[in-house]
């Protein structure tokens, strides 16, 4: 008893399978070919499938590679009409050795599979004997071997052609043209065809070599080696060279690895060949030693990149970026250092070393910015001095005198201490005093400073302990207006001894003084005072503001802040 291959249940006559139970028949149909002289009809083999679950059928032609005919599913799955009365094909209508017509095409059923045979016999249908599948006459014709025509001949050229057909000697050569202007060394492949002693030369192209992709440098042709004397002026550009103009042609023995070869005015050096060529030379000429020659040239040592000399414009790091990229980028900064030292400024009082007598009494404020290692210089204005004060040097990095512009060494915090001489673009400054923030910074970072710098700070602190009266006398001798200013500051300190505005007043002004000049705008000055609750309406403070005013729109907050410190 046959079982259903899908369900595994026994097949019982009188019942029908469902789902994927399919009957398969092998068939063919004949197709006319009217427009061909080689074939008049064509046999096309197909498979007819009958689906028991819904009595539908499909016709599929197996795909033959390179047939040139649209194949595959000829008739999709559907109920196929049997006649004009609306009847459809049933599995009882299918049998071996019969013709069925589907949509005008007559199919001849010749065989069915084992399952279909058992199924039909179990249903009481007597199957016809199987038939052989019809063969396509054109396909069978193509399977027959072609006729071979062998004609006896005594010509050596024909014998050479038949013996050495498709046998080619391959040589690898170079053409070194580096001696000429803009010349270079280029690779070529030389083919020698044994069948007719012809030669062609192919150029080896590399990716992005900038050359047109011409495959051949010289077409396949026989190459003359020695010409007759009268053939030197032979017009080769319009006429082909024959045996009458040539005494000797190039042969295979002229192509030897390791020897130069001149072809059409170019000297090629053969440095290698393929294994077939080596075997041919060993059997034909007895040459067994044809080693490959290394023609690769060693690359010259890399040229050390050197920066051009510094031209004096901008900083060295910024100018060097023009040599690293076509579109220069800003040099990288130490972001962590900038964040940790943001708005931290070391201020020093300095005097200028100059042979000019008028420059000896000038005083300057040197500001060192810890975040960027830049220095700025400000000269406080002095009344009736004849010198316009203000910004003396903008924020920039200053190179120490021993170093050069190509390998700069910039001034650091350890180079600034009392008594140190700072040379800035040809001008020498001597540091005379420091502010309280510098003292605190040096105390917390004592390891960065030399013993000389620390001892100078200690001596400065001792001198600060000298009697105040002696200092006042010296100040009064220098500037009579200073005595009035010092007396006013002392009176305000006594009056505002416990006033809450004393805390952080210096830091509030320094935040708005980005250039560390010691001056702020008058409008900004009163805004800061209002924020810190400074009693600007007091008569003493009004007088102090008048003495600290410089011009109409700027105020010296250094002396103003002294009135609010102990």
């Amino acid at each position: 008893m046959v079982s259903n291959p899908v369900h595994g249940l026994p097949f019982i006559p009188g019942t029908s399978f469902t789902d994927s139970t399919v009957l398969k028949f092998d068939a063919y149909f004949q197709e006319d070919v009217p427009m061909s002289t080689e074939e008049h009809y064509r046999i096309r083999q197909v498979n007819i499938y009958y689906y028991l679950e819904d009595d539908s059928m499909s016709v599929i032609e197996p795909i033959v590679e390179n047939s040139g005919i649209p194949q595959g599913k000829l008739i999709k799955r559907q109920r196929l009409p049997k006649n004009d009365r609306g009847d459809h094909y049933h599995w009882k209508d299918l049998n071996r050795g019969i013709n069925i017509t589907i949509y005008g095409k007559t199919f001849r059923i010749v065989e069915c599979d084992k399952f279909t045979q058992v199924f039909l016999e179990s249903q009481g249908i007597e199957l016809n004997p199987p038939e052989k599948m019809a063969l396509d006459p054109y396909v069978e014709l193509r399977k027959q071997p072609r006729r071979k025509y062998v004609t006896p001949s005594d010509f050596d050229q024909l014998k050479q052609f038949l013996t050495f057909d498709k046998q080619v000697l391959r040589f690898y050569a170079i053409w070194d043209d580096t001696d000429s202007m803009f010349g270079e060394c280029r690779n070529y492949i030389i083919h020698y065809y044994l069948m007719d002693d012809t030669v062609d030369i192919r150029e080896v192209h590399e990716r992005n070599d900038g050359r047109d992709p011409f495959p051949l440098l010289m077409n396949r042709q026989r190459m003359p080696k020695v010409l007759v004397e009268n053939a030197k002026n032979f017009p080769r550009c319009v006429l082909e060279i024959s045996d009458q103009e040539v005494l000797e042609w190039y042969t295979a023995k002229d192509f030897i690895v390791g020897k130069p070869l001149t072809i059409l005015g170019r000297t090629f050096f053969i440095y290698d060949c393929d294994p077939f060529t080596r075997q041919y030379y060993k059997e034909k000429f007895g040459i067994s030693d044809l080693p490959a020659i290394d023609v690769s040239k060693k690359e010259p040592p890399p040229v050390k990149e050197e920066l051009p000399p510094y031209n004096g414009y901008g900083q060295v790091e910024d100018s060097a970026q023009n040599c690293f990229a076509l579109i220069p980028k800003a040099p990288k900064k130490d972001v962590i250092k900038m964040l940790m030292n943001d708005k931290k400024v070391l201020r020093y009082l300095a005097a200028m070393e100059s042979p000019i007598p008028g420059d000896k009494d000038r005083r300057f404020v040197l500001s060192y910015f810890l975040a960027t290692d830049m220095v700025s210089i400000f000269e406080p204005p002095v009344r009736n001095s004849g010198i316009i004060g203000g910004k003396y040097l903008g924020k920039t990095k200053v190179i120490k005198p021993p170093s050069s512009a190509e390998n700069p060494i910039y001034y650091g915090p350890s180079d600034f201490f009392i008594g140190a001489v700072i040379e800035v673009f040809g001008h020498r400054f001597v540091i005379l005093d420091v502010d309280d923030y510098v003292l605190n910074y040096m105390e917390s970072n004592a390891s960065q400073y030399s013993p000389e710098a620390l001892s100078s700070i200690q001596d400065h602190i001792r001198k600060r302990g000298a009697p105040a009266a002696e200092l006042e006398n010296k100040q009064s001798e220098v500037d009579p207006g200073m005595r009035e200013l010092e007396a006013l500051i002392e009176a305000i300190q006594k009056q505002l001894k416990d006033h809450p505005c004393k805390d952080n007043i210096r830091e509030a002004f320094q935040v708005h003084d980005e250039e560390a000049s010691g001056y702020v705008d008058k409008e900004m000055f009163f805004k800061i005072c209002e924020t810190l609750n400074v009693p600007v309406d007091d008569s003493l403070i009004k007088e102090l503001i008048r003495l600290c005013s410089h011009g109409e729109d700027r105020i010296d907050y250094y002396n103003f802040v002294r009135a609010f410190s102990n």
Side-chain angles (χ1 to χ4, degrees):
M1 183 175 292
V2 181
S3 60
N4 187 343
V6 177
H7 302 285
L9 300 177
F11 178 73
I12 302 174
T15 61
S16 62
F17 291 129
T18 57
D19 298 337
S20 300
T21 306
V22 183
L23 304 181
K24 179 184 176 184
F25 299 90
D26 297 334
Y28 68 90
F29 68 96
Q30 180 175 322
E31 182 182 31
D32 294 334
V33 184
M35 303 299 293
S36 176
T37 58
E38 297 182 354
E39 54 178 343
H40 302 287
Y41 66 92
R42 186 178 297 133
I43 300 297
R44 300 178 63 175
Q45 302 175 5
V46 297
N47 295 325
I48 300 176
Y49 295 92
Y50 187 93
Y51 301 88
L52 295 175
E53 60 178 348
D54 56 357
D55 295 329
S56 59
M57 297 175 62
S58 65
V59 180
I60 298 176
E61 181 181 7
I63 297 177
V64 179
E65 187 177 1
N66 296 327
S67 65
I69 303 174
Q71 296 174 325
K73 187 178 292 186
L74 299 182
I75 302 176
K76 65 180 181 179
R77 182 177 174 179
Q78 56 184 298
R79 296 190 67 189
L80 299 178
K82 181 178 179 182
N83 48 41
D84 297 338
R85 297 189 298 271
D87 298 334
H88 295 84
Y89 277 107
H90 193 262
W91 55 268
K92 295 180 181 180
D93 301 323
L94 304 178
N95 201 337
R96 291 185 299 202
I98 66 172
N99 295 332
I100 62 172
T101 302
I102 302 175
Y103 295 132
K105 287 186 178 182
T106 301
F107 295 86
R108 179 71 175 182
I109 300 177
V110 297
E111 186 57 284
C112 63
D113 61 357
K114 188 65 176 177
F115 174 78
T116 305
Q117 180 180 352
V118 174
F119 175 78
L120 295 177
E121 290 177 350
S122 65
Q123 298 298 320
I125 296 177
E126 183 179 355
L127 291 176
N128 299 328
E131 299 179 357
K132 291 184 178 181
M133 178 63 72
L135 300 178
D136 185 53
Y138 181 74
V139 175
E140 296 301 319
L141 178 64
R142 293 293 300 270
K143 291 181 180 180
Q144 296 178 3
R146 294 185 178 181
R147 295 182 59 184
K148 295 182 179 179
Y149 300 93
V150 178
T151 303
S153 177
D154 296 332
F155 295 103
D156 293 338
Q157 292 183 355
L158 182 59
K159 182 179 179 181
Q160 180 184 1
F161 174 81
L162 297 176
T163 305
F164 297 105
D165 186 22
K166 298 183 180 179
Q167 295 186 15
V168 183
L169 304 182
R170 174 178 292 184
F171 302 92
Y172 302 97
I174 61 170
W175 175 47
D176 192 354
D177 192 36
T178 54
D179 294 336
S180 61
M181 184 179 293
F182 307 114
E184 58 183 345
C185 188
R186 299 168 65 178
N187 295 326
Y188 293 91
I189 296 177
I190 301 176
H191 289 153
Y192 184 88
Y193 298 87
L194 295 174
M195 57 179 294
D196 54 358
D197 296 325
T198 55
V199 180
D200 71 3
I201 303 176
R202 299 176 181 269
E203 186 172 357
V204 179
H205 291 278
E206 297 180 357
R207 187 176 184 182
N208 297 329
D209 59 357
R211 299 187 177 276
D212 293 333
F214 290 109
L216 289 177
L217 176 68
M218 185 188 74
N219 288 329
R220 180 177 173 180
Q221 56 183 300
R222 295 188 69 188
M223 292 304 305
K225 183 178 180 181
V226 180
L227 298 175
V228 297
E229 295 182 0
N230 298 331
K232 292 182 179 180
N233 298 326
F234 186 81
R236 288 187 249 177
C237 59
V238 294
L239 295 177
E240 294 183 359
I241 296 178
S242 62
D243 294 337
Q244 298 177 0
E245 290 83 18
V246 179
L247 292 178
E248 184 180 357
W249 299 90
Y250 274 109
T251 58
K253 63 181 179 181
D254 297 320
F255 296 82
I256 303 296
V257 175
K259 293 184 179 180
L261 186 70
T262 302
I263 300 177
L264 297 180
R266 291 191 181 187
T267 301
F268 297 90
F269 180 78
I270 301 175
Y271 65 89
D272 198 3
C273 60
D274 62 353
F276 173 77
T277 305
R278 284 190 171 89
Q279 185 65 25
Y280 177 82
Y281 272 79
K282 182 178 180 181
E283 297 176 355
K284 183 72 175 179
F285 304 106
I287 303 175
S288 59
D289 188 13
L290 292 175
I293 300 175
D294 186 13
V295 294
S296 61
K297 294 185 178 181
K298 296 182 179 180
E299 296 184 0
V303 180
K304 184 179 179 181
E305 296 182 356
E306 296 182 359
L307 295 177
Y310 179 58
N311 56 7
Y313 293 97
Q315 297 183 3
V316 179
E317 293 82 359
D318 289 336
S319 300
Q321 296 300 318
N322 295 279
C323 305
F324 299 149
L326 184 61
I327 301 177
K329 299 180 180 180
K332 294 183 179 180
K333 299 180 180 179
D334 191 349
V335 181
I336 298 178
K337 179 180 179 181
M338 295 178 64
L339 295 175
M340 295 180 62
N341 299 316
D342 187 28
K343 298 182 181 180
K344 293 183 179 180
V345 185
L346 305 181
R347 294 178 176 85
Y348 307 89
L349 180 64
M352 179 183 291
E353 278 191 357
S354 176
I356 301 174
D359 293 339
K360 293 183 179 180
D361 296 333
R362 298 174 66 181
R363 295 295 179 264
F364 299 88
V365 177
L366 272 69
S367 301
Y368 185 87
F369 299 85
L370 294 173
T372 58
D373 296 329
M374 292 186 177
V375 178
S376 68
I377 302 176
F378 182 83
E379 183 179 6
V382 179
R383 292 181 179 179
N384 300 324
S385 63
I387 299 174
I388 301 175
K391 184 190 294 186
Y392 189 81
L393 176 68
K395 291 172 62 176
T396 184
K397 289 185 177 181
V398 180
I399 303 175
K400 297 176 69 172
S403 62
S404 61
E406 288 74 14
N407 299 311
I409 300 176
Y410 299 104
Y411 277 107
S414 60
D415 299 321
F416 293 84
F417 54 89
I418 296 177
V421 178
I422 307 298
E423 184 172 341
V424 181
F425 303 117
H427 300 275
R428 296 168 60 88
F429 296 88
V430 180
I431 297 179
L432 304 178
D433 197 359
V434 298
D435 62 358
D436 295 338
Y437 184 78
V438 176
L439 297 177
N440 296 332
Y441 180 81
M442 294 181 68
E443 182 179 358
S444 58
N445 300 275
S447 59
Q448 299 182 7
Y449 292 87
S450 62
E452 180 185 0
L454 298 176
S455 61
S456 66
I457 294 299
Q458 292 176 358
D459 296 341
H460 176 71
I461 294 175
R462 294 194 199 100
K463 290 180 181 179
R464 279 190 174 183
E470 183 180 354
L471 182 62
E472 290 179 0
N473 293 334
K474 291 181 180 180
Q475 290 178 348
S476 61
E477 292 176 1
V478 175
D479 188 2
M482 291 296 295
R483 185 174 183 180
E484 180 183 0
L485 179 62
E486 293 296 333
L488 183 60
I489 290 174
E490 184 178 357
I492 293 175
Q493 287 178 346
K494 293 179 181 180
Q495 180 179 350
L496 303 176
K497 185 176 182 180
D498 298 329
H499 199 275
C501 68
K502 294 172 60 177
D503 299 335
N504 301 326
I505 186 172
R506 180 185 295 272
E507 288 76 4
F509 284 106
Q510 289 178 351
V511 169
H512 295 85
D513 184 13
E514 297 180 355
E515 298 180 355
S517 61
Y519 291 87
V520 294
D521 295 338
K522 182 173 293 186
E523 182 180 357
M524 182 59 65
F525 176 83
F526 284 107
K527 286 184 180 180
I528 297 173
C529 292
E530 183 180 358
T531 304
L532 299 176
N533 297 323
V534 177
V536 293
D537 296 334
D538 188 84
S539 59
L540 294 177
I541 294 180
K542 285 184 178 181
E543 181 65 17
L544 178 62
I545 294 174
R546 185 186 67 81
L547 294 176
C548 294
S549 298
H550 177 70
E552 297 181 357
D553 56 347
R554 305 182 71 185
I555 296 177
D556 179 9
Y557 69 84
Y558 278 174
N559 292 325
F560 183 81
V561 170
R562 288 173 54 198
F564 296 89
S565 60
N566 295 330

